[in-house]
Structures are given as structure tokens and as C-alpha cells.
Amino acid sequence: MATPPPPQHHGPHSWQHQPPWHTGPYVPHQPPGPYTSLTPEQGAYGCRVCGALPVADTTVHGHQGMIVLMRFLSRKGPFCRDCGLAVVRDMSAKTLWQGWWGPLSLFITPVTLLTNLGPWGRLRRLGPPAGGAMPPLDPGKPLWRRPPALAGLVPLLAVLLAFPALLLTGLLAGVDSGPRELAVGTCVQDADRFRTEKLVVEGCDSALAKYRITKRLDTPGATCAEGELISVSERSLEAAPLCLAPWR
């Protein structure tokens, strides 16, 4: 029986006897470049955009109103200072001009913008980003220097000023420039409706004015004219009776 020939050695560094464990796909060697993937520490604790430190673990919110429908947007950190400010300014600027188009969105949009003040304050207190795998985002212009955001401030100011304006209007509407005292020559509401004779002054041009005070019976023997009513004020028992002539 013939025996197989012994293996041939081609040199001390021959690969003929290497075990066949190198069976994975071939990955070419890449020289180190300026930007590489995130390290485990950066991926777990660094900025989710650039991997830099220090960071603030916060969430930025946005809102879009679409007449009937609406969208609630959010981007969760952690963010470094520059990336976080860029996200806050971008989402707040879009909310300022996209968030008003709907009945409920008129109230949701101001609340959304106010909730972003918390992340904005936390991000501003961070130090400069360092150690990132890529450059941080450019924060860009502040909101007050962005034309779309400035246009969106008009509805915001209208909503914020609506309640004080309505309150002031109600107060002014309740103030009558006409006389308040039951003086001779003033008009009052229908005395028949007030069983306690508590007369209410009305302007003589008002539809509620039914009687006009013609005389105050404050002298002995004074009487009202024929067809006039006599009213005694309940404010004071010592007050003189009044003569009321039909006004309409």
C-alpha cells in the first residue's frame, strides 16, 4: 500500500499549517481619519448628535397645527450645549410659524414654547462641547433674528394680550358715563319692576329708561304733577320722595 508523500515546507513562515479559523469576511484596514465612530463612553453618555461632553439629558418639543389635525413633535437628548441650542432654536422657530393653524393649536403652541424654556436654560449653563466624534451643530441665529419666527410672534402676542384686553373691555363696558345719582332730570328704569323701589339710573337715550325724575319732594306741601308716580328711596328713610314722570 502506497503512503502519501510528506507535506512540503516552503519556508519558516509558510501558511500551510495555519488552522482554518480565519473564515469571516475580509475587512480592509482603514487608516484613522479626523472623524470616527462614537466610542462606547460617548455613545452611552455623550451628545447623541456629535458625542461631545458635557451634556444635558433633556427633551425639546415642537408643535404643528393643521386646521383639523395636529402633530406633537419631540427630540430627546442627551445634547451638548451647541447641538441642544441648535435643536431648541430650530424646533421653536418652526413651532412659531407652523403651530397656530388650528383651534386647539392656538392654546397648545404657547404651552409648547414655554416648555422649551427649561431645556434652553439647562443647555446654556453647559460648558463648551469637547471630545466629540464630529463637530457639533451650529446653534444659528437667535429666534428674534429669524424672520419666520418673528412672524409667528404676532399670534403669540395676540393670545397673550387677549385675556387682558377682554378684561379691560368688560370693565369699561360696565362703567356708564351717565349720572349715577337720583337727581332731578335723570332717567331711571321701570319702577314697577322694583318692588323695593330701588331705582337704577339709566341714560335717557337707553331703551330701558321708563321714567324721568321731575321733582324731589323735600319741602312741606310739595306734590307731584298729575299722572306722575311717587317713589321713596330705600337707601335712606330720611331721603325725600321723588316724582317720576313717564319717559317713553
Side-chain angles (χ1 to χ4, degrees):
M1 181 176 180
T3 58
Q8 299 180 0
H9 298 277
H10 300 279
H13 301 287
S14 174
W15 295 95
Q16 294 294 331
H17 299 283
Q18 294 292 336
W21 56 65
H22 299 285
T23 58
Y26 173 72
V27 180
H29 174 71
Q30 297 180 355
Y35 308 131
T36 59
S37 60
L38 300 180
T39 65
E41 179 181 1
Q42 291 169 329
Y45 306 105
C47 175
R48 64 172 301 174
V49 179
C50 67
L53 295 170
V55 296
D57 190 6
T58 185
T59 303
V60 184
H61 298 276
H63 182 73
Q64 290 182 354
M66 296 175 285
I67 309 302
V68 179
L69 303 177
M70 64 184 69
R71 293 179 61 191
F72 295 88
L73 309 174
S74 64
R75 290 194 64 181
K76 184 174 177 57
F79 297 112
C80 67
R81 185 191 64 183
D82 292 358
C83 292
L85 291 178
V87 173
V88 170
R89 291 177 179 178
D90 181 67
M91 296 192 71
S92 299
K94 291 180 179 178
T95 300
L96 277 171
W97 67 274
Q98 294 179 350
W100 305 101
W101 312 111
L104 295 178
S105 296
L106 289 175
F107 303 95
I108 297 175
T109 295
V111 175
T112 303
L113 295 172
L114 291 176
T115 57
N116 284 340
L117 292 178
W120 176 76
R122 294 183 61 188
L123 292 166
R124 281 179 57 89
R125 290 192 293 266
L126 294 177
M134 58 177 55
L137 299 178
D138 183 7
K141 298 179 180 179
L143 291 179
W144 58 272
R145 294 179 56 188
R146 302 188 182 197
L150 293 178
L153 288 176
V154 176
L156 176 61
L157 294 177
V159 172
L160 294 178
L161 296 177
F163 180 76
L166 292 175
L167 181 61
L168 181 61
T169 301
L171 293 176
L172 294 179
V175 177
D176 191 355
S177 59
R180 295 288 92 193
E181 297 295 330
L182 296 174
V184 175
T186 60
C187 296
V188 295
Q189 291 187 15
D190 191 352
D192 293 338
R193 297 190 310 163
F194 300 91
R195 301 296 180 90
T196 60
E197 297 295 335
K198 185 177 181 180
L199 302 180
V200 178
V201 178
E202 287 287 346
C204 291
D205 56 348
S206 172
L208 298 177
K210 298 298 182 182
Y211 293 91
R212 186 171 180 268
I213 301 176
T214 60
K215 184 186 298 184
R216 185 182 297 273
L217 302 179
D218 52 359
T219 58
T223 60
C224 297
E226 184 178 356
E228 294 183 347
L229 300 178
I230 299 177
S231 174
V232 179
S233 175
E234 68 167 9
R235 297 179 181 178
S236 174
L237 297 177
E238 299 179 356
L242 302 174
C243 295
L244 304 179
W247 179 244
R248 298 294 181 185

PDB file of all heavy atoms in Angstrom, residues 2-32:
ATOM      1  N   ALA A   2       0.587   2.131  -0.911  1.00  0.00           N
ATOM      2  CA  ALA A   2       1.413   3.341  -1.054  1.00  0.00           C
ATOM      3  C   ALA A   2       1.081   4.327   0.027  1.00  0.00           C
ATOM      4  O   ALA A   2      -0.075   4.482   0.415  1.00  0.00           O
ATOM      5  CB  ALA A   2       1.199   3.965  -2.420  1.00  0.00           C
ATOM      6  N   THR A   3       2.093   5.016   0.526  1.00  0.00           N
ATOM      7  CA  THR A   3       1.884   6.049   1.566  1.00  0.00           C
ATOM      8  C   THR A   3       1.940   7.419   0.918  1.00  0.00           C
ATOM      9  O   THR A   3       2.713   7.642  -0.022  1.00  0.00           O
ATOM     10  CB  THR A   3       2.967   5.934   2.643  1.00  0.00           C
ATOM     11  OG1 THR A   3       4.240   6.073   2.036  1.00  0.00           O
ATOM     12  CG2 THR A   3       2.899   4.575   3.340  1.00  0.00           C
ATOM     13  N   PRO A   4       1.139   8.400   1.445  1.00  0.00           N
ATOM     14  CA  PRO A   4       1.159   9.745   0.856  1.00  0.00           C
ATOM     15  C   PRO A   4       2.472  10.424   1.132  1.00  0.00           C
ATOM     16  O   PRO A   4       3.123  10.157   2.145  1.00  0.00           O
ATOM     17  CB  PRO A   4      -0.006  10.446   1.551  1.00  0.00           C
ATOM     18  CG  PRO A   4      -0.191   9.722   2.832  1.00  0.00           C
ATOM     19  CD  PRO A   4       0.180   8.285   2.548  1.00  0.00           C
ATOM     20  N   PRO A   5       2.900  11.255   0.243  1.00  0.00           N
ATOM     21  CA  PRO A   5       4.160  11.963   0.451  1.00  0.00           C
ATOM     22  C   PRO A   5       4.045  12.924   1.624  1.00  0.00           C
ATOM     23  O   PRO A   5       2.978  13.438   1.921  1.00  0.00           O
ATOM     24  CB  PRO A   5       4.373  12.699  -0.875  1.00  0.00           C
ATOM     25  CG  PRO A   5       2.997  12.874  -1.429  1.00  0.00           C
ATOM     26  CD  PRO A   5       2.232  11.648  -1.001  1.00  0.00           C
ATOM     27  N   PRO A   6       5.107  13.155   2.311  1.00  0.00           N
ATOM     28  CA  PRO A   6       5.063  14.102   3.442  1.00  0.00           C
ATOM     29  C   PRO A   6       4.812  15.514   2.946  1.00  0.00           C
ATOM     30  O   PRO A   6       5.131  15.864   1.818  1.00  0.00           O
ATOM     31  CB  PRO A   6       6.451  13.947   4.063  1.00  0.00           C
ATOM     32  CG  PRO A   6       7.305  13.472   2.963  1.00  0.00           C
ATOM     33  CD  PRO A   6       6.455  12.599   2.107  1.00  0.00           C
ATOM     34  N   PRO A   7       4.205  16.336   3.773  1.00  0.00           N
ATOM     35  CA  PRO A   7       3.954  17.735   3.346  1.00  0.00           C
ATOM     36  C   PRO A   7       5.250  18.455   3.113  1.00  0.00           C
ATOM     37  O   PRO A   7       6.243  18.213   3.776  1.00  0.00           O
ATOM     38  CB  PRO A   7       3.181  18.320   4.524  1.00  0.00           C
ATOM     39  CG  PRO A   7       3.511  17.458   5.698  1.00  0.00           C
ATOM     40  CD  PRO A   7       3.758  16.079   5.160  1.00  0.00           C
ATOM     41  N   GLN A   8       5.144  19.308   2.140  1.00  0.00           N
ATOM     42  CA  GLN A   8       6.320  20.076   1.767  1.00  0.00           C
ATOM     43  C   GLN A   8       6.312  21.412   2.483  1.00  0.00           C
ATOM     44  O   GLN A   8       5.293  22.084   2.566  1.00  0.00           O
ATOM     45  CB  GLN A   8       6.351  20.292   0.239  1.00  0.00           C
ATOM     46  CG  GLN A   8       6.413  18.990  -0.548  1.00  0.00           C
ATOM     47  CD  GLN A   8       6.431  19.248  -2.038  1.00  0.00           C
ATOM     48  OE1 GLN A   8       6.390  20.387  -2.481  1.00  0.00           O
ATOM     49  NE2 GLN A   8       6.517  18.180  -2.818  1.00  0.00           N
ATOM     50  N   HIS A   9       7.447  21.783   3.010  1.00  0.00           N
ATOM     51  CA  HIS A   9       7.602  23.077   3.693  1.00  0.00           C
ATOM     52  C   HIS A   9       8.304  24.035   2.751  1.00  0.00           C
ATOM     53  O   HIS A   9       9.347  23.752   2.224  1.00  0.00           O
ATOM     54  CB  HIS A   9       8.438  22.903   4.971  1.00  0.00           C
ATOM     55  CG  HIS A   9       7.778  21.967   5.969  1.00  0.00           C
ATOM     56  ND1 HIS A   9       6.811  22.392   6.826  1.00  0.00           N
ATOM     57  CD2 HIS A   9       7.975  20.640   6.194  1.00  0.00           C
ATOM     58  CE1 HIS A   9       6.427  21.362   7.582  1.00  0.00           C
ATOM     59  NE2 HIS A   9       7.124  20.278   7.197  1.00  0.00           N
ATOM     60  N   HIS A  10       7.640  25.203   2.591  1.00  0.00           N
ATOM     61  CA  HIS A  10       8.213  26.206   1.687  1.00  0.00           C
ATOM     62  C   HIS A  10       8.946  27.293   2.437  1.00  0.00           C
ATOM     63  O   HIS A  10       9.416  28.235   1.838  1.00  0.00           O
ATOM     64  CB  HIS A  10       7.108  26.838   0.845  1.00  0.00           C
ATOM     65  CG  HIS A  10       6.382  25.819  -0.009  1.00  0.00           C
ATOM     66  ND1 HIS A  10       6.882  25.372  -1.212  1.00  0.00           N
ATOM     67  CD2 HIS A  10       5.211  25.154   0.205  1.00  0.00           C
ATOM     68  CE1 HIS A  10       6.037  24.490  -1.739  1.00  0.00           C
ATOM     69  NE2 HIS A  10       5.009  24.335  -0.898  1.00  0.00           N
ATOM     70  N   GLY A  11       9.034  27.180   3.701  1.00  0.00           N
ATOM     71  CA  GLY A  11       9.752  28.213   4.454  1.00  0.00           C
ATOM     72  C   GLY A  11       9.256  28.258   5.879  1.00  0.00           C
ATOM     73  O   GLY A  11       8.238  27.653   6.238  1.00  0.00           O
ATOM     74  N   PRO A  12       9.958  28.954   6.708  1.00  0.00           N
ATOM     75  CA  PRO A  12       9.571  29.012   8.118  1.00  0.00           C
ATOM     76  C   PRO A  12       8.265  29.754   8.355  1.00  0.00           C
ATOM     77  O   PRO A  12       7.653  29.603   9.398  1.00  0.00           O
ATOM     78  CB  PRO A  12      10.751  29.725   8.775  1.00  0.00           C
ATOM     79  CG  PRO A  12      11.354  30.552   7.695  1.00  0.00           C
ATOM     80  CD  PRO A  12      11.188  29.747   6.447  1.00  0.00           C
ATOM     81  N   HIS A  13       7.823  30.590   7.415  1.00  0.00           N
ATOM     82  CA  HIS A  13       6.597  31.381   7.597  1.00  0.00           C
ATOM     83  C   HIS A  13       5.505  30.885   6.685  1.00  0.00           C
ATOM     84  O   HIS A  13       4.634  31.638   6.266  1.00  0.00           O
ATOM     85  CB  HIS A  13       6.863  32.868   7.317  1.00  0.00           C
ATOM     86  CG  HIS A  13       7.931  33.439   8.208  1.00  0.00           C
ATOM     87  ND1 HIS A  13       7.733  33.705   9.543  1.00  0.00           N
ATOM     88  CD2 HIS A  13       9.229  33.789   7.921  1.00  0.00           C
ATOM     89  CE1 HIS A  13       8.848  34.204  10.058  1.00  0.00           C
ATOM     90  NE2 HIS A  13       9.767  34.259   9.104  1.00  0.00           N
ATOM     91  N   SER A  14       5.522  29.650   6.356  1.00  0.00           N
ATOM     92  CA  SER A  14       4.504  29.125   5.463  1.00  0.00           C
ATOM     93  C   SER A  14       3.167  29.060   6.185  1.00  0.00           C
ATOM     94  O   SER A  14       3.092  28.803   7.384  1.00  0.00           O
ATOM     95  CB  SER A  14       4.922  27.727   4.978  1.00  0.00           C
ATOM     96  OG  SER A  14       3.884  27.155   4.217  1.00  0.00           O
ATOM     97  N   TRP A  15       2.051  29.331   5.460  1.00  0.00           N
ATOM     98  CA  TRP A  15       0.686  29.313   5.989  1.00  0.00           C
ATOM     99  C   TRP A  15       0.027  27.959   5.782  1.00  0.00           C
ATOM    100  O   TRP A  15      -1.178  27.827   5.969  1.00  0.00           O
ATOM    101  CB  TRP A  15      -0.168  30.406   5.330  1.00  0.00           C
ATOM    102  CG  TRP A  15       0.300  31.773   5.646  1.00  0.00           C
ATOM    103  CD1 TRP A  15       1.132  32.542   4.914  1.00  0.00           C
ATOM    104  CD2 TRP A  15      -0.032  32.525   6.798  1.00  0.00           C
ATOM    105  NE1 TRP A  15       1.365  33.733   5.506  1.00  0.00           N
ATOM    106  CE2 TRP A  15       0.636  33.761   6.701  1.00  0.00           C
ATOM    107  CE3 TRP A  15      -0.815  32.281   7.927  1.00  0.00           C
ATOM    108  CZ2 TRP A  15       0.544  34.741   7.648  1.00  0.00           C
ATOM    109  CZ3 TRP A  15      -0.928  33.271   8.872  1.00  0.00           C
ATOM    110  CH2 TRP A  15      -0.241  34.479   8.740  1.00  0.00           C
ATOM    111  N   GLN A  16       0.790  26.913   5.397  1.00  0.00           N
ATOM    112  CA  GLN A  16       0.177  25.624   5.106  1.00  0.00           C
ATOM    113  C   GLN A  16      -0.390  24.972   6.361  1.00  0.00           C
ATOM    114  O   GLN A  16      -1.347  24.218   6.288  1.00  0.00           O
ATOM    115  CB  GLN A  16       1.231  24.682   4.470  1.00  0.00           C
ATOM    116  CG  GLN A  16       1.716  25.147   3.100  1.00  0.00           C
ATOM    117  CD  GLN A  16       0.623  25.099   2.065  1.00  0.00           C
ATOM    118  OE1 GLN A  16      -0.285  24.274   2.185  1.00  0.00           O
ATOM    119  NE2 GLN A  16       0.718  25.962   1.071  1.00  0.00           N
ATOM    120  N   HIS A  17       0.207  25.229   7.526  1.00  0.00           N
ATOM    121  CA  HIS A  17      -0.234  24.570   8.740  1.00  0.00           C
ATOM    122  C   HIS A  17      -1.055  25.470   9.649  1.00  0.00           C
ATOM    123  O   HIS A  17      -1.279  25.124  10.792  1.00  0.00           O
ATOM    124  CB  HIS A  17       1.001  24.070   9.528  1.00  0.00           C
ATOM    125  CG  HIS A  17       1.800  23.076   8.754  1.00  0.00           C
ATOM    126  ND1 HIS A  17       1.413  21.766   8.599  1.00  0.00           N
ATOM    127  CD2 HIS A  17       2.974  23.231   8.074  1.00  0.00           C
ATOM    128  CE1 HIS A  17       2.325  21.133   7.857  1.00  0.00           C
ATOM    129  NE2 HIS A  17       3.269  22.006   7.538  1.00  0.00           N
ATOM    130  N   GLN A  18      -1.511  26.651   9.157  1.00  0.00           N
ATOM    131  CA  GLN A  18      -2.337  27.526   9.982  1.00  0.00           C
ATOM    132  C   GLN A  18      -3.736  26.950  10.110  1.00  0.00           C
ATOM    133  O   GLN A  18      -4.301  26.465   9.133  1.00  0.00           O
ATOM    134  CB  GLN A  18      -2.410  28.935   9.349  1.00  0.00           C
ATOM    135  CG  GLN A  18      -1.078  29.664   9.347  1.00  0.00           C
ATOM    136  CD  GLN A  18      -0.665  30.020  10.752  1.00  0.00           C
ATOM    137  OE1 GLN A  18      -1.504  30.135  11.620  1.00  0.00           O
ATOM    138  NE2 GLN A  18       0.636  30.145  10.972  1.00  0.00           N
ATOM    139  N   PRO A  19      -4.341  26.946  11.262  1.00  0.00           N
ATOM    140  CA  PRO A  19      -5.694  26.420  11.416  1.00  0.00           C
ATOM    141  C   PRO A  19      -6.685  27.301  10.666  1.00  0.00           C
ATOM    142  O   PRO A  19      -6.518  28.510  10.579  1.00  0.00           O
ATOM    143  CB  PRO A  19      -5.906  26.464  12.935  1.00  0.00           C
ATOM    144  CG  PRO A  19      -4.935  27.459  13.438  1.00  0.00           C
ATOM    145  CD  PRO A  19      -3.742  27.400  12.530  1.00  0.00           C
ATOM    146  N   PRO A  20      -7.694  26.684  10.125  1.00  0.00           N
ATOM    147  CA  PRO A  20      -8.630  27.437   9.262  1.00  0.00           C
ATOM    148  C   PRO A  20      -9.677  28.187  10.063  1.00  0.00           C
ATOM    149  O   PRO A  20     -10.875  27.940   9.930  1.00  0.00           O
ATOM    150  CB  PRO A  20      -9.249  26.334   8.417  1.00  0.00           C
ATOM    151  CG  PRO A  20      -9.253  25.145   9.315  1.00  0.00           C
ATOM    152  CD  PRO A  20      -8.020  25.243  10.145  1.00  0.00           C
ATOM    153  N   TRP A  21      -9.252  29.103  11.023  1.00  0.00           N
ATOM    154  CA  TRP A  21     -10.292  29.858  11.755  1.00  0.00           C
ATOM    155  C   TRP A  21     -10.549  31.233  11.139  1.00  0.00           C
ATOM    156  O   TRP A  21     -11.420  31.944  11.578  1.00  0.00           O
ATOM    157  CB  TRP A  21      -9.891  30.012  13.227  1.00  0.00           C
ATOM    158  CG  TRP A  21      -8.558  30.665  13.463  1.00  0.00           C
ATOM    159  CD1 TRP A  21      -8.197  31.919  13.187  1.00  0.00           C
ATOM    160  CD2 TRP A  21      -7.406  30.036  14.024  1.00  0.00           C
ATOM    161  NE1 TRP A  21      -6.911  32.150  13.527  1.00  0.00           N
ATOM    162  CE2 TRP A  21      -6.379  31.007  14.068  1.00  0.00           C
ATOM    163  CE3 TRP A  21      -7.112  28.741  14.497  1.00  0.00           C
ATOM    164  CZ2 TRP A  21      -5.121  30.743  14.553  1.00  0.00           C
ATOM    165  CZ3 TRP A  21      -5.870  28.497  14.989  1.00  0.00           C
ATOM    166  CH2 TRP A  21      -4.881  29.480  15.016  1.00  0.00           C
ATOM    167  N   HIS A  22      -9.772  31.660  10.178  1.00  0.00           N
ATOM    168  CA  HIS A  22      -9.979  32.960   9.526  1.00  0.00           C
ATOM    169  C   HIS A  22     -10.990  32.773   8.408  1.00  0.00           C
ATOM    170  O   HIS A  22     -10.647  32.742   7.236  1.00  0.00           O
ATOM    171  CB  HIS A  22      -8.654  33.512   8.994  1.00  0.00           C
ATOM    172  CG  HIS A  22      -7.634  33.734  10.076  1.00  0.00           C
ATOM    173  ND1 HIS A  22      -7.699  34.778  10.946  1.00  0.00           N
ATOM    174  CD2 HIS A  22      -6.526  32.999  10.422  1.00  0.00           C
ATOM    175  CE1 HIS A  22      -6.671  34.715  11.796  1.00  0.00           C
ATOM    176  NE2 HIS A  22      -5.956  33.647  11.500  1.00  0.00           N
ATOM    177  N   THR A  23     -12.257  32.607   8.792  1.00  0.00           N
ATOM    178  CA  THR A  23     -13.293  32.360   7.776  1.00  0.00           C
ATOM    179  C   THR A  23     -14.251  33.528   7.617  1.00  0.00           C
ATOM    180  O   THR A  23     -15.196  33.447   6.840  1.00  0.00           O
ATOM    181  CB  THR A  23     -14.088  31.118   8.167  1.00  0.00           C
ATOM    182  OG1 THR A  23     -14.656  31.329   9.487  1.00  0.00           O
ATOM    183  CG2 THR A  23     -13.194  29.876   8.196  1.00  0.00           C
ATOM    184  N   GLY A  24     -14.106  34.629   8.406  1.00  0.00           N
ATOM    185  CA  GLY A  24     -15.030  35.766   8.300  1.00  0.00           C
ATOM    186  C   GLY A  24     -14.761  36.594   7.058  1.00  0.00           C
ATOM    187  O   GLY A  24     -13.801  36.382   6.334  1.00  0.00           O
ATOM    188  N   PRO A  25     -15.645  37.564   6.799  1.00  0.00           N
ATOM    189  CA  PRO A  25     -15.449  38.418   5.613  1.00  0.00           C
ATOM    190  C   PRO A  25     -14.220  39.286   5.770  1.00  0.00           C
ATOM    191  O   PRO A  25     -13.853  39.690   6.868  1.00  0.00           O
ATOM    192  CB  PRO A  25     -16.729  39.253   5.578  1.00  0.00           C
ATOM    193  CG  PRO A  25     -17.220  39.264   6.989  1.00  0.00           C
ATOM    194  CD  PRO A  25     -16.837  37.927   7.558  1.00  0.00           C
ATOM    195  N   TYR A  26     -13.654  39.585   4.685  1.00  0.00           N
ATOM    196  CA  TYR A  26     -12.429  40.393   4.684  1.00  0.00           C
ATOM    197  C   TYR A  26     -12.798  41.858   4.902  1.00  0.00           C
ATOM    198  O   TYR A  26     -13.652  42.414   4.205  1.00  0.00           O
ATOM    199  CB  TYR A  26     -11.700  40.229   3.355  1.00  0.00           C
ATOM    200  CG  TYR A  26     -10.522  41.172   3.214  1.00  0.00           C
ATOM    201  CD1 TYR A  26      -9.357  40.990   3.947  1.00  0.00           C
ATOM    202  CD2 TYR A  26     -10.598  42.251   2.338  1.00  0.00           C
ATOM    203  CE1 TYR A  26      -8.288  41.860   3.817  1.00  0.00           C
ATOM    204  CE2 TYR A  26      -9.538  43.122   2.202  1.00  0.00           C
ATOM    205  CZ  TYR A  26      -8.382  42.919   2.949  1.00  0.00           C
ATOM    206  OH  TYR A  26      -7.337  43.781   2.815  1.00  0.00           O
ATOM    207  N   VAL A  27     -12.213  42.479   5.903  1.00  0.00           N
ATOM    208  CA  VAL A  27     -12.427  43.888   6.200  1.00  0.00           C
ATOM    209  C   VAL A  27     -11.133  44.613   5.936  1.00  0.00           C
ATOM    210  O   VAL A  27     -10.137  44.391   6.629  1.00  0.00           O
ATOM    211  CB  VAL A  27     -12.869  44.084   7.673  1.00  0.00           C
ATOM    212  CG1 VAL A  27     -13.078  45.569   7.969  1.00  0.00           C
ATOM    213  CG2 VAL A  27     -14.138  43.295   7.952  1.00  0.00           C
ATOM    214  N   PRO A  28     -11.102  45.469   4.944  1.00  0.00           N
ATOM    215  CA  PRO A  28      -9.853  46.183   4.650  1.00  0.00           C
ATOM    216  C   PRO A  28      -9.505  47.133   5.776  1.00  0.00           C
ATOM    217  O   PRO A  28     -10.371  47.681   6.452  1.00  0.00           O
ATOM    218  CB  PRO A  28     -10.182  46.934   3.352  1.00  0.00           C
ATOM    219  CG  PRO A  28     -11.663  47.066   3.347  1.00  0.00           C
ATOM    220  CD  PRO A  28     -12.186  45.840   4.017  1.00  0.00           C
ATOM    221  N   HIS A  29      -8.271  47.308   5.968  1.00  0.00           N
ATOM    222  CA  HIS A  29      -7.782  48.210   7.009  1.00  0.00           C
ATOM    223  C   HIS A  29      -8.017  49.652   6.584  1.00  0.00           C
ATOM    224  O   HIS A  29      -7.722  50.045   5.458  1.00  0.00           O
ATOM    225  CB  HIS A  29      -6.293  47.973   7.247  1.00  0.00           C
ATOM    226  CG  HIS A  29      -5.701  48.972   8.192  1.00  0.00           C
ATOM    227  ND1 HIS A  29      -5.990  48.972   9.540  1.00  0.00           N
ATOM    228  CD2 HIS A  29      -4.835  49.996   7.965  1.00  0.00           C
ATOM    229  CE1 HIS A  29      -5.336  49.959  10.119  1.00  0.00           C
ATOM    230  NE2 HIS A  29      -4.621  50.588   9.187  1.00  0.00           N
ATOM    231  N   GLN A  30      -8.644  50.436   7.522  1.00  0.00           N
ATOM    232  CA  GLN A  30      -8.907  51.842   7.238  1.00  0.00           C
ATOM    233  C   GLN A  30      -7.994  52.689   8.092  1.00  0.00           C
ATOM    234  O   GLN A  30      -7.986  52.549   9.321  1.00  0.00           O
ATOM    235  CB  GLN A  30     -10.367  52.183   7.550  1.00  0.00           C
ATOM    236  CG  GLN A  30     -11.376  51.415   6.685  1.00  0.00           C
ATOM    237  CD  GLN A  30     -12.798  51.796   7.041  1.00  0.00           C
ATOM    238  OE1 GLN A  30     -13.022  52.541   7.974  1.00  0.00           O
ATOM    239  NE2 GLN A  30     -13.738  51.265   6.273  1.00  0.00           N
ATOM    240  N   PRO A  31      -7.278  53.563   7.476  1.00  0.00           N
ATOM    241  CA  PRO A  31      -6.411  54.445   8.271  1.00  0.00           C
ATOM    242  C   PRO A  31      -7.252  55.388   9.111  1.00  0.00           C
ATOM    243  O   PRO A  31      -8.361  55.742   8.729  1.00  0.00           O
ATOM    244  CB  PRO A  31      -5.592  55.197   7.208  1.00  0.00           C
ATOM    245  CG  PRO A  31      -6.458  55.153   5.994  1.00  0.00           C
ATOM    246  CD  PRO A  31      -7.168  53.833   6.031  1.00  0.00           C
ATOM    247  N   PRO A  32      -6.767  55.767  10.260  1.00  0.00           N
ATOM    248  CA  PRO A  32      -7.538  56.688  11.117  1.00  0.00           C
ATOM    249  C   PRO A  32      -7.728  58.029  10.437  1.00  0.00           C
ATOM    250  O   PRO A  32      -6.817  58.571   9.807  1.00  0.00           O
ATOM    251  CB  PRO A  32      -6.662  56.805  12.378  1.00  0.00           C
ATOM    252  CG  PRO A  32      -5.277  56.448  11.922  1.00  0.00           C
ATOM    253  CD  PRO A  32      -5.454  55.422  10.833  1.00  0.00           C
TER     254      PRO A  32
END
